[in-house]
Amino acid sequence: MSGTASPFGDDQLTQDLITVIAQEGMVDLAGVGPETTLESLNIASVDYMMILAAIEEKFSVYIPMDESLAQVKDVGGLIAVLKEQILAGKKT
Amino acid sequence: MTQRSVVVTGLGAISTAGIGVDLLWNAAAEGVSGARTVMLDYEYGNLIKVAAQLHDFDLARFFPNQKTAFLDRVTMMAMIAAKEAVTDAGLAEAGPFGPRTSVIVGTGIGSLQTIEESSRTMLLEGKRPDPLTVPRAMTSASASNIGMTYGCTGTSFVISSACASSSQALGIATQMVRAGMTDRVIVGGTEAIVTPGGMKGWEVMRVLSPTLCRPFSKGRNGLLLGEGAAMLVIEAEELAVARGARIRARILGYGTTSDARDMLRPDVDGATNAMVAAIDDAGIDSNDIDYVNAHGTATVLNDTTESEALGRIFGNRLGQVPVSSTKPIHGHTLGAAGAMEAVISIRAMEESFVPPTINFLEADPNCPIDCVPNVGRPGKIRHVLNNSFAFGGINAALVFGSAQ
């Protein structure tokens, strides 16, 4: 995905997360917007595992499957929760 | 064909609370958690450092006259629990039990410690594995060793269905006794998952709490791994009565279903249908259930799904039925969980006391149940519904009845 004019934001963390989600969730995010549901992209529970594992390796942050993550329904929400947890994890 | 009724005559357990059913029950009733900092022989960069791990595990103490080279940790725990159950059933001097006694054990992973250690020996040290690796590591080792100890020459096997393993073992054992396929079964579950690789494997699935296990509570963020074993002696009632055995409880109903949908995400329909099947099998109504020992792992999705399923079972009565998860006490013992919680459920009926769900902070609107927060309470219990829901979408529910 291009680093410009992304519907999700152009900061580096967002771009990194989009790359991880696309690679580990094995989904094509071209043409996908923040409100696209994870269900419509066929992202299953095992894909979450792979995405979170990749984030741990890349950012050295452990992200539990907590309430905020469990309630995420769309791509925009997923990116927002992951960003929040990564930034919080880096502070601890 | 008239089916025989099935009774429980013996209980045994080894858990982080210690050796024996009494210690497990006391911890559950008083809400004393066995969570502690894990001690691992080596690490794989483990981030999660807490589990309900058995620290006091001295082989010589438990098997003074036996060759323990054949026995993985998971088998030793099963044998320790089985010994207590057989003794509790008044059968310590009665063996060999012969062809009408069976052994059925549930375990999710089995001999993980042996598998890990033999792999490390071969890969890191370039040495051959221990010649006893296979008899120690094979998943059926616990059932075989219990059978050899007590001379049980009836059916012997292990059921492995992740966290539903020992509930399915209890259910199948009950059906076998009912149908006359066997008269008595030493049945239960065992799990020894708190190894370096076991801990890391669960950690990377993101379902372990980095803080505290808080089933059904707002702010819950994952489960607490545990290790241990629980075994029961179950018998056809007519034969137990004939030998003058003490009847501790009855196994009245068993239901099992599979979601066939998602590997990790639980399903309300599957959980509900298992409970309905168990209650129907028991020949009772949901109004007869006085207490639910929940699966209650403290993962967000499990607890929400289980609460919704319980709502379908109990309807307007949902808020009045005490439900508790004892997993913060003994940890989630995976394949042993159903049997360990069965032991607690039976003790709860005997003591007329509902154990608490500890570490509870605040009610979650998505879990509108009476989860007996933090402190247990007295209450007459005639029937217990005991749930076990596994990754892979396998659901099992059991209904126990009091001895009277």
Side-chain angles (χ1 to χ4, degrees), chain B residues 44 52 75 110 155 159:
Chain B
Y44 297 116
T75 297
T155 305
I159 289 180

CSV table of all heavy atoms in Angstrom, one decimal, chain B residues 44 52 75 110 155 159:
chain,number,residue,atom,x,y,z
B,44,TYR,N,12.2,-19.2,26.7
B,44,TYR,CA,12.2,-18.8,25.3
B,44,TYR,C,11.8,-17.3,25.2
B,44,TYR,O,10.9,-16.9,24.4
B,44,TYR,CB,11.2,-19.6,24.5
B,44,TYR,CG,11.5,-21.1,24.4
B,44,TYR,CD1,10.7,-22.0,25.0
B,44,TYR,CD2,12.7,-21.5,23.8
B,44,TYR,CE1,11.0,-23.4,24.9
B,44,TYR,CE2,13.0,-22.9,23.8
B,44,TYR,CZ,12.1,-23.8,24.3
B,44,TYR,OH,12.4,-25.2,24.3
B,52,ALA,N,-0.6,-21.0,37.5
B,52,ALA,CA,-0.9,-21.8,38.7
B,52,ALA,C,0.0,-23.1,38.6
B,52,ALA,O,-0.5,-24.1,38.1
B,52,ALA,CB,-2.4,-22.2,38.8
B,75,THR,N,1.6,-37.8,33.7
B,75,THR,CA,1.2,-39.1,34.1
B,75,THR,C,1.3,-39.2,35.6
B,75,THR,O,0.4,-39.8,36.3
B,75,THR,CB,2.0,-40.2,33.4
B,75,THR,OG1,1.8,-40.1,32.0
B,75,THR,CG2,1.7,-41.6,33.9
B,110,GLY,N,-1.0,-33.7,26.8
B,110,GLY,CA,-0.3,-34.9,27.3
B,110,GLY,C,1.1,-34.5,27.8
B,110,GLY,O,1.3,-33.6,28.5
B,155,THR,N,-11.8,-51.5,29.3
B,155,THR,CA,-11.5,-50.4,28.3
B,155,THR,C,-10.5,-49.4,28.8
B,155,THR,O,-10.6,-49.0,30.0
B,155,THR,CB,-12.7,-49.7,27.8
B,155,THR,OG1,-13.7,-50.7,27.3
B,155,THR,CG2,-12.4,-48.7,26.7
B,159,ILE,N,-9.0,-39.4,26.0
B,159,ILE,CA,-9.7,-38.5,25.1
B,159,ILE,C,-9.0,-37.2,25.1
B,159,ILE,O,-8.6,-36.6,26.1
B,159,ILE,CB,-11.1,-38.3,25.7
B,159,ILE,CG1,-12.0,-39.5,25.5
B,159,ILE,CG2,-11.8,-37.1,25.0
B,159,ILE,CD1,-13.4,-39.4,26.0
